[in-house]
Amino acid sequence: MLPARTKVVVTVHDLITELFPQHYAKNDQQARLRAAALEKADGVVCVSEHTRSDLLRLYDLDESRVVVSYNG
């Protein structure tokens, strides 16, 4: 358990399981776990503008909390 004052930042690399659910097992939990993590996050880092765009389209997030930081 984290102290209450600890900020939580989640990094999103892609949203493949949400974009193409037909290619994943019905019991695949990636999307559910990601949604739970995003709900608790104070900030979100995406690895590309495309991922950020997908994230904002698929999830009800304040876009000011979502930034892009490219890999490498």
Side-chain angles (χ1 to χ4, degrees):
M1 184 65 95
L2 295 172
R5 69 180 185 274
T6 302
K7 298 289 184 182
V8 175
V9 177
V10 173
T11 300
V12 178
H13 294 273
D14 62 54
L15 295 154
I16 297 301
T17 56
E18 289 91 336
L19 295 171
F20 302 101
Q22 68 275 20
H23 296 293
Y24 292 87
K26 296 268 188 236
N27 63 349
D28 187 284
Q29 297 192 26
Q30 288 183 63
R32 185 186 62 75
L33 293 171
R34 184 178 2 261
L38 290 169
E39 188 175 305
K40 295 177 183 178
D42 296 295
V44 181
V45 176
C46 293
V47 299
S48 70
E49 288 290 344
H50 191 80
T51 298
R52 182 179 189 271
S53 174
D54 287 341
L55 182 72
L56 293 172
R57 184 169 44 84
L58 295 171
Y59 289 91
D60 182 29
L61 298 173
D62 176 358
E63 69 179 77
S64 69
R65 295 182 330 153
V66 183
V67 300
V68 174
S69 180
Y70 300 104
N71 287 327

